[in-house]
Amino acid sequence: MSPVAKLEVMNSLLLTGGRVVDPANQFDSVADVLLVKGKVSAVGRNLAAPAGVAKFDARGMIVAPGLIDLHVHLREPGQTAKETIATGTAAAARGGFTSIVCMPNTSPAIDNAGTVALIHERAKAEGAVNVFVTGAISKEIAGEELAPIGGLKKAGVIAITDDGHCVQNNDLMRRACEYAKMFDLPVMDHCQDYSLVTDGVMHEGYWNLALGLRGWPSAGEEMIVARNILLAELTGAKIHCQHLSAAGSVARIREAKKRGVPISGEACPHHFTLTDAAVAGSEKFWAQDGKALAHLSSAGPLPAWPAYDTNFKMNPPLRSARDREAILEGLADGTIEILCSDHAPHCDYEKEVEFDYAPFGITGLETELALSLMQLVHTKRLSLADMIAKFTVNPARLLNLKKGTLTPGADADVTVFDPDLEWIFEREESASKSKNSPFFGWKLKGRAAATIVAGKNVLVEHPQPAAV
Ligand SMILES: [Zn+2]
């Protein structure tokens, strides 16, 4: 084969016989997908592979637009002991994600064009998947002075957020929204009222009292969700509420969306799978709130963990069974349009301390597809197409990304997954540099079989361990 001919088949692949689910085109049917030179070339029956194009047998699998996770902490620059762009994107590839959006609370923070350029450069050199960058709302994420939002947009950020922190000054937030609207950037917000939450470490309810831990009340989230609804209405800016955990937040967003307010929300699998009872240890959890996870109860010995396990500490915290149900309902009725992980790696030495002192956050890129399938699709709360939309076309629409669809001409980003494959998430096998997941030892159902970025299967380089 001449070098020219060889070039032509690069980034090309024919996926045969899978169930193709492309919510952007309301397409759900068994079909082939032909990817040529990094773009989607055709979707249809009995497509022929052009000479030299490799085939991938997708029979029995789901073929979806490449999944997008719009809430990931890559920790680079500055915190590379926790994660790097190379390890974080390898975890994304494992999890079936072809595009991820990184948060700006790095060190230095992404509040300047130079840091945006640095991440773009490193992601291009070392990233297994596409990396999109968000910029900070405020300088150094300190909540005091606005970051140069126009300059950040010019440097290529796709949204602004102070995630990890929350702008408390409502006037500053209003001005951020006005600038963001001018530059056509969505504002993403980590909703936490500092005066209500103070130094709370877990949900304020029954279990924090029983365990003697300081409470983080639901009202601390709802207060800022309500503020954001008012500011979205006032300014017309698109405000997206990150990692929703409380029933009241869902109710407020549902009501505001009905009135046409440009507000949206996202949910993470830990908030719609676990509850605050998990902080009291596995026995307490399985005896009460864990009963709702029917798909696990027939699967042999249930995962075990001690009370005060810091892998169950995240921000916002795990909440009550009622809140978990409200998040599931919000996902089912379309109030919450986006699924994501809030992948937040931390080193063992940071997490292996008393609950009070451990940092908030867990890893999530490798488990979110399975947990979403288990809690939403296998339980019949959501159709497969609706779940896929929350990982593809919906985040793409919010962030104005030309991604999330298999329309011919689109980038050849495709996720192939087996929704029924059972596997155990093992600590030793995680691709993330950090091992702070509450789901190690869990029997999960559903896993990526190919993660195709620009026509190239990157799961080949970051392969999955064997199924059970
Ligand atoms: Zn956050």
Side-chain angles (χ1 to χ4, degrees):
M1 191 180 283
S2 76
V4 177
K6 198 170 177 195
L7 252 182
E8 279 178 359
V9 297
M10 273 177 69
N11 297 74
S12 303
L13 200 57
L14 177 65
L15 303 157
T16 56
R19 175 178 161 198
V20 179
V21 184
D22 181 11
N25 289 311
Q26 283 152 4
F27 186 91
D28 185 344
S29 175
V30 171
D32 302 337
V33 177
L34 177 62
L35 311 173
V36 176
K37 294 186 205 167
K39 300 283 176 193
V40 177
S41 170
V43 178
R45 295 281 173 105
N46 305 318
L47 297 180
V53 170
K55 282 191 190 177
F56 184 100
D57 183 357
R59 277 175 300 172
M61 310 237 186
I62 307 300
V63 177
L67 306 184
I68 301 166
D69 185 338
L70 58 45
H71 195 148
V72 172
H73 296 272
L74 285 177
R75 306 300 192 203
E76 189 174 354
Q79 300 160 332
T80 50
K82 297 174 193 269
E83 195 79 283
T84 64
I85 288 168
T87 58
T89 56
R94 278 274 188 94
F97 288 80
T98 59
S99 292
I100 57 178
V101 176
C102 65
M103 293 295 112
N105 59 338
T106 46
S107 182
I110 310 177
D111 63 359
N112 63 87
T115 308
V116 178
L118 175 87
I119 294 168
H120 281 151
E121 217 170 275
R122 295 238 173 113
K124 207 173 162 200
E126 295 158 25
V129 305
N130 305 305
V131 174
F132 293 96
V133 181
T134 57
I137 296 173
S138 67
K139 281 187 186 161
E140 293 173 29
I141 313 198
E144 283 164 11
E145 236 183 298
L146 286 184
I149 295 168
L152 286 167
K153 163 91 183 188
K154 226 173 162 183
V157 305
I158 55 162
I160 53 170
T161 173
D162 268 5
D163 183 51
H165 297 266
C166 177
V167 174
Q168 300 295 294
N169 180 319
N170 297 330
D171 179 54
L172 190 75
M173 189 65 173
R174 174 194 176 162
R175 284 189 286 125
C177 291
E178 285 167 348
Y179 277 110
K181 180 154 196 263
M182 222 156 75
F183 294 112
D184 196 22
L185 284 172
V187 181
M188 311 208 288
D189 198 21
H190 165 119
C191 303
Q192 178 177 353
D193 183 287
Y194 292 174
S195 63
L196 278 173
V197 174
T198 62
D199 52 1
V201 293
M202 74 172 288
H203 175 59
E204 183 177 308
Y206 170 79
W207 285 110
N208 82 295
L209 290 175
L211 294 168
L213 293 169
R214 290 185 297 274
W216 190 141
S218 296
E221 177 178 283
E222 290 169 45
M223 186 73 78
I224 299 295
V225 168
R227 183 270 306 260
N228 288 345
I229 290 168
L230 292 169
L231 289 181
E233 229 169 344
L234 177 66
T235 64
K238 279 205 266 185
I239 306 185
H240 175 72
C241 298
Q242 298 177 286
H243 44 46
L244 294 172
S245 66
S249 304
V250 182
R252 281 180 175 79
I253 290 176
R254 181 180 289 122
E255 184 277 331
K257 282 178 77 162
K258 269 190 199 139
R259 289 187 290 115
V261 179
I263 192 93
S264 60
E266 69 188 31
C268 311
H270 48 273
H271 286 127
F272 59 77
T273 304
L274 301 169
T275 65
D276 58 346
V279 183
S282 50
E283 245 171 79
K284 295 276 194 307
F285 178 73
W286 295 120
Q288 294 194 12
D289 301 344
K291 280 190 182 146
L293 308 179
H295 43 275
L296 277 163
S297 56
S298 62
L302 291 167
W305 62 88
Y308 302 99
D309 185 332
T310 57
N311 285 332
F312 294 82
K313 179 178 179 181
M314 61 287 281
N315 187 359
L318 299 174
R319 298 210 183 270
S320 69
R322 195 184 128 253
D323 292 297
R324 176 178 63 181
E325 195 53 38
I327 299 290
L328 287 166
E329 278 166 20
L331 286 162
D333 74 8
T335 300
I336 304 174
E337 293 171 47
I338 291 169
L339 290 162
C340 63
S341 65
D342 188 11
H343 178 83
H346 291 293
C347 301
D348 285 350
Y349 76 86
E350 296 172 292
K351 277 290 201 181
E352 285 167 5
V353 295
E354 280 176 63
F355 199 88
D356 277 336
Y357 303 116
F360 292 98
I362 61 167
T363 58
L365 280 164
E366 293 169 87
T367 48
E368 61 181 309
L369 173 59
L371 290 166
S372 299
L373 283 163
M374 289 160 71
Q375 280 291 74
L376 301 169
V377 180
H378 295 320
T379 53
K380 306 214 180 331
R381 286 188 174 99
L382 217 59
S383 71
L384 187 60
D386 283 344
M387 187 207 78
I388 291 172
K390 291 181 201 291
F391 277 126
T392 56
V393 59
N394 296 357
R397 214 171 266 158
L398 173 75
L399 300 169
N400 301 313
L401 300 179
K402 288 197 186 83
K403 297 279 184 191
T405 172
L406 296 174
T407 306
D411 293 339
D413 295 349
V414 186
T415 300
V416 182
F417 63 92
D418 180 342
D420 298 315
L421 185 104
E422 295 194 334
W423 58 291
I424 292 171
F425 185 45
E426 302 284 6
R427 183 187 163 90
E428 302 72 41
E429 290 171 351
S430 169
S432 173
K433 200 165 184 181
S434 289
K435 311 295 175 195
N436 52 314
S437 167
F439 297 111
F440 288 127
W442 284 52
K443 191 169 185 179
L444 303 176
K445 193 172 177 184
R447 197 167 71 177
T451 304
I452 298 161
V453 178
K456 192 171 161 229
N457 184 2
V458 297
L459 202 52
V460 176
E461 289 151 48
H462 309 277
Q464 297 281 16
V468 291

